[in-house]
Structure formats: structure tokens, C-alpha cells
């Protein structure tokens, strides 16, 4: 039996991840008594007792422990170490993502039912060979579309993952609507379902790629595989629930096309809303062009740097996937120069490892990057381009930039390179403050999600050239 004087002294303690530690005390009967263990997300607290194992000659008294009732669900469907092993936005995003997956599963059941009716399932006069040919044409069209879309937009999906994720889900709803409408116009059935499958294959590329990008954001302990696997488990559970509900729903709507279409529109509205809430819940701490534009505008007008939460809330979600025509990073040098004079004019005044060409008539900035350009150099080059864009806009600017704005509005177009040179001098003072403000606000400046092409160049530089 334990000494009474040692009953209140903890023998050991433990903690899970970065959660609160709990102590272990010696009970009067020699057992180990653990303090109550609270689960922050589930509002559960309880204690369990570990009985000491009897020595030889006694009755078997194996270790027994009563674990919290929800710990098994946490282990099966949430990443190990949750919530500390994932980003703070993980739980709200996954909840809304589950809602949209459930709505999409039910909508997909209605669409599949319509396609099967259209190819002749249940119709004694339908030809098996004709249905097979239609199915093969549909699949081959989608395969070709998948390859072409991956080549066309694959390198740009990382830059605007939230926007492309929302776009993919809306396109998926359009594809399912086409499938539901296909049997109504039998003469266009094959073309309709081929178009639908083409859209679905684009969805699979855009959705899969952006899901991987968001998984990288959510994984905080080098646990990307675990986060991805648990996300798959959650989606499987939701789809299973959707399958069971579909088994009950389809017999009710199969004989009433109007009611079936009404259910589809309701589920589609729920699906789009849940997707919007899911991507809006994301707080990504790296800068793409949209977030950089918002943060820089706020900094130039008010002298303050927006934090990731505020900037992500203000980031547009419907138009961000369209490519920017005003800022191009990593363009080839031969596109901007055709003579020695052009090269000399482009290099003059550039002490940074990038060259910037500003076409004032089209308000287009093209940036040539040096071989030595790192993430902070690219961030400065993008900031430089957006500052030049701000010179043509309205709103307050710092004193040095306000003077340059007056020169832009009064000067001829041939002096563009002079304005670019002068903005370098302003940025020498402005950008270090902006960069420090970004870091203090919680932005990760050691990497970015700016759209950058792979062209790099070298040129004769002044000795004062900087490397970031």
C-alpha cells in the first residue's frame, strides 16, 4: 500500500502533442490514478485507472484502460495529433467540404440514373452494342480533355488553388445538369453526355490538383500523406451515407421528372454554397498575386500590412482563376530586346537581379528574372510591378510614389524607363518595411504562390547589384 504522505505527489505526467499535460498519482490501494484529461474539441473529460499487474502466483490482472469514447473516431477520421498537426482552418474547411460532398453524391445519383435511362437500361428495344459505343465515345472524349486541360492549365493551379477548387465544383454541377437533361433530347444524347464527361474530366484534374495543394497547406508536421489519407476516409464515409440516402430517394423521384429536377436544383444550390463556405474558411499564409495586390494596396494607402486572415477573407473567389494580363514574371529576355540600345536601356538603373519593362499604354509589366533570383527577389519584382500599376490608379500613395504618379500623368510615354528607374529608388526604402510587415503579420515570405514562368537570364550588372 502506498505511503499516505506520497498520495498527493505526482509520480509522472504525460501529454498528447502540444496539449495540456496531466499528472499521475499513487492511489491508496497501490494503483495509478490519472488526472482528468479534457479534449478541447469534443468537450469530453474523464479519468481512467490502471490497475497494477499481480506478481507471479496471483490471479491474472492484466492492464485495462477505458479510453475516451470518441478517441477511436478521432484516430480513424482525423490526422494523428489533431488539432495541432493541421492548420487552424482544417476543421471548418472539412465540415463544409463534407456537406458539399454529401450534396454532390446525391446529385450524382440523379445524374447517373438519367444517363442509364438515356442509354436504354430497362428498355427491351435498346441495343447493347449501341449503348457500348456511346459509353466508349463518352470515355475517350473525357480522356483527351483531361490530357489537354492538364497541359493547358496544370502549372497554374497552385497559384489560385481556392478559385480553381470552386470552379471545379461548379463545373461538376454543370456536367451533372447536362446528364439529367440528356434523355429529354435523345437526338443530342451522345453529344450531351460527351460534353458532360469532358467537363467531369476537367473537374477531376482541377479538383485533384487543388486538393493536393490544399493538403500541403493543412499539413503542419510533415504529415501530408496522413492528412490526405484521412481526407479520403472522411469522403468515403460521406459518400457511403449519400449512397444509402440515394437508395431511398431514387424510387421516390424516378417516376416524377419534375420532382427529380427540383431535388437536383436544391442539392446543387446546397453544393455551391457549401463549397463557397469551405474555400472561404481557408487561410493560406503564402502570397499569390491576388492576396499580394490586396495587402500592398492596404499598405500603400494606410501604412499597415493586412494579416493572412483578413486578406483571405477579402480575396475574390470567382475571378481569381483568370490569368492576369498586367503582370508577367519570368518572361524571356529576347521578347523585350531587339538591339543593344534596348538592352542598355532595360538594364540601366536595375541593381536588383531582375529587369522590368513597363508598357504604359497597355498597363502591362513584364519581368525578366536573373539566375540568382530567389523567392524574395520574385516577391519584390511582383511588388514593383503592382506599384507601377498603382501609379495609374486612384487613392492615396506615399509621398515618393505620389510624385511619380504626377510624372506618369504628365510625362510622355517614352519616359517609362525613367519612371521604372525612379521606382527602384523608392522601393529601396519602401520594400524592406513592407517585407518586415509581412513577416510580422504572419505571412510566409520564404515561399510564394505567384505565377512565374521558367525563363531565366544573365546580363552585365552594376557592382552594386543586390541578391535576395
Amino acid at each position: 500500500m502506498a505511503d499516505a504522505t506520497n498520495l498527493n505527489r505526482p509520480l509522472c505526467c504525460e501529454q498528447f502533442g502540444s496539449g495540456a499535460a496531466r499528472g499521475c498519482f499513487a492511489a491508496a490501494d497501490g494503483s495509478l490514478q490519472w488526472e482528468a484529461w479534457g479534449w478541447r474539441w469534443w468537450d469530453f473529460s474523464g479519468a481512467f485507472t490502471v490497475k497494477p499487474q499481480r506478481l507471479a502466483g496471483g490471479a491474472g490482472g492484466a492492464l485495462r484502460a477505458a479510453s475516451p469514447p470518441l478517441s477511436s473516431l478521432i484516430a480513424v477520421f482525423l490526422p494523428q495529433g489533431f488539432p495541432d498537426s493541421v492548420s487552424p482552418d482544417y476543421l471548418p474547411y472539412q465540415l463544409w467540404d463534407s456537406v458539399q460532398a454529401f450534396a454532390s453524391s446525391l446529385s450524382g445519383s440523379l445524374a447517373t440514373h438519367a444517363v442509364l435511362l438515356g442509354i436504354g437500361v430497362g428498355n427491351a428495344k435498346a441495343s447493347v452494342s449501341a449503348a457500348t459505343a456511346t459509353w466508349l465515345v463518352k470515355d475517350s472524349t473525357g480522356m483527351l480533355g483531361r490530357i489537354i486541360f492538364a497541359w493547358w492549365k496544370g502549372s497554374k493551379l497552385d497559384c489560385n488553388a481556392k478559385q480553381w477548387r470552386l470552379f471545379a465544383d461548379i463545373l461538376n454541377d454543370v456536367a451533372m445538369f447536362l446528364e439529367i437533361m440528356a434523355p429529354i433530347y435523345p437526338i443530342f444524347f451522345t453529344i450531351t453526355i460527351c460534353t458532360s464527361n469532358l467537363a467531369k474530366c476537367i473537374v477531376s484534374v482541377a479538383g485533384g490538383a487543388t486538393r493536393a495543394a490544399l493538403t500541403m497547406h493543412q499539413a503542419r508536421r510533415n504529415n501530408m500523406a496522413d492528412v490526405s489519407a484521412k481526407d479520403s476516409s472522411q469522403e468515403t464515409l460521406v459518400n457511403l451515407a449519400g449512397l444509402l440516402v440515394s437508395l431511398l430517394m431514387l424510387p421516390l423521384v424516378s417516376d416524377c421528372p419534375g420532382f427529380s429536377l427540383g431535388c437536383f436544383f436544391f442539392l446543387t444550390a446546397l453544393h455551391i454554397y457549401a463549397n463557397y463556405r469551405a474555400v472561404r474558411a481557408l487561410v493560406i499564409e503564402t502570397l499569390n498575386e491576388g492576396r499580394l495586390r490586396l495587402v500592398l494596396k492596404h499598405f500603400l494607402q494606410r501604412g499597415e500590412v493586412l494579416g493572412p486572415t483578413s486578406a483571405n477573407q477579402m480575396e475574390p473567389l470567382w475571378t481569381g482563376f483568370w490569368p492576369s494580363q498586367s503582370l508577367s514574371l519570368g518572361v524571356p529576355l529576347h521578347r523585350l530586346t531587339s538591339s543593344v540600345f534596348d538592352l542598355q536601356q532595360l538594364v540601366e538603373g536595375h541593381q536588383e537581379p531582375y529587369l522590368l519593362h513597363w508598357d504604359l499604354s497597355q498597363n502591362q509589366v513584364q519581368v525578366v528574372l536573373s539566375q540568382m533570383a530567389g523567392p524574395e527577389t520574385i516577391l519584390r519584382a511582383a511588388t514593383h510591378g503592382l506599384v507601377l500599376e498603382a501609379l495609374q490608379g486612384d487613392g492615396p500613395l506615399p509621398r515618393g510614389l505620389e510624385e511619380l504618379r504626377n510624372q506618369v500623368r504628365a510625362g510622355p510615354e517614352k519616359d517609362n524607363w525613367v519612371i521604372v528607374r525612379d521606382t527602384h529608388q523608392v522601393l529601396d526604402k519602401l520594400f524592406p518595411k513592407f517585407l518586415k510587415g509581412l513577416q510580422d503579420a504572419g505571412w510566409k515570405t520564404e515561399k510564394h504562390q505567384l505565377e512565374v514562368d521558367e525563363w531565366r537570364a544573365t546580363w552585365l550588372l552594376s557592382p552594386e547589384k543586390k541578391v535576395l
Side-chain angles (χ1 to χ4, degrees), residues 30-68:
S31 63
L32 299 179
Q33 182 70 42
W34 291 92
E35 289 180 333
W37 197 344
W39 294 82
R40 74 178 68 173
W41 290 100
W42 308 103
D43 292 329
F44 175 86
S45 62
F48 63 89
T49 302
V50 181
K51 294 293 185 182
Q53 185 175 359
R54 294 181 181 273
L55 299 177
L63 293 174
R64 57 189 180 88
S67 59

Side-chain angles (χ1 to χ4, degrees), residues 7 51 65 105 114 132 158 160 194 207 230-231 290 309 331 385 393 419 429 436 458 464:
L7 292 180
K51 294 293 185 182
S105 178
T132 303
D158 285 304
N160 296 291
C194 286
K230 297 303 170 57
D231 180 70
T309 302
V331 301
I419 302 296
K429 299 179 180 179
K436 186 177 185 305
T458 57
E464 296 83 7

Side-chain angles (χ1 to χ4, degrees), residues 230-407:
K230 297 303 170 57
D231 180 70
S232 178
S233 296
Q234 296 168 23
E235 185 174 2
T236 301
L237 179 64
V238 171
N239 288 335
L240 178 60
L243 177 62
L244 296 177
V245 175
S246 296
L247 292 176
L248 301 175
M249 179 182 67
L250 287 177
L252 300 176
V253 303
S254 58
D255 296 330
C256 184
F259 183 55
S260 175
L261 196 60
C263 289
F264 174 78
F265 284 131
F266 170 75
L267 292 171
T268 298
L270 177 61
H271 180 244
I272 294 175
Y273 176 74
N275 270 292
Y276 176 82
R277 292 297 301 270
V279 295
R280 183 58 79 190
L282 290 168
V283 180
I284 300 178
E285 299 94 345
T286 49
L287 290 163
N288 62 2
E289 184 177 337
R291 292 189 286 273
L292 178 60
R293 191 185 301 272
L294 286 171
V295 174
L296 180 62
K297 180 179 179 181
H298 190 84
F299 176 76
L300 293 178
Q301 293 182 351
R302 303 187 182 182
E304 301 174 351
V305 175
L306 288 173
T309 302
S310 300
N312 277 266
Q313 289 296 318
M314 298 167 60
E315 182 182 9
L317 297 178
W318 303 105
T319 59
F321 49 81
W322 297 113
S324 171
Q325 300 296 326
S326 61
L327 178 63
S328 301
L329 299 171
V331 301
L333 182 59
H334 68 262
R335 183 185 300 175
L336 305 181
T337 57
S338 59
S339 66
V340 175
F341 175 78
D342 291 339
L343 181 60
Q344 289 177 341
Q345 189 179 69
L346 189 63
V347 172
E348 185 176 354
H350 285 76
Q351 298 178 3
E352 304 290 336
Y354 67 86
L355 303 177
L356 189 147
H357 177 264
W358 184 29
D359 187 345
L360 182 58
S361 61
Q362 300 182 3
N363 195 23
Q364 185 178 32
V365 176
Q366 296 176 302
V367 179
V368 178
L369 296 173
S370 166
Q371 297 282 0
M372 296 177 289
E376 290 188 6
T377 295
I378 296 174
L379 183 59
R380 169 168 171 142
T383 302
H384 194 166
L386 295 179
V387 165
L388 290 172
E389 181 181 307
L391 295 181
Q392 289 190 294
D394 298 321
L397 289 176
R399 181 177 178 181
L401 292 178
E402 188 66 41
E403 295 175 357
L404 290 177
R405 172 187 283 175
N406 295 332
Q407 295 180 27

Side-chain angles (χ1 to χ4, degrees), residues 210-233:
T210 53
R211 183 181 294 271
L214 296 180
T215 300
M216 290 180 62
H217 156 70
Q218 292 174 333
R220 294 302 168 93
R221 288 186 179 170
N222 198 26
N223 58 339
M224 182 175 171
D226 185 31
V227 173
S228 179
K230 297 303 170 57
D231 180 70
S232 178
S233 296

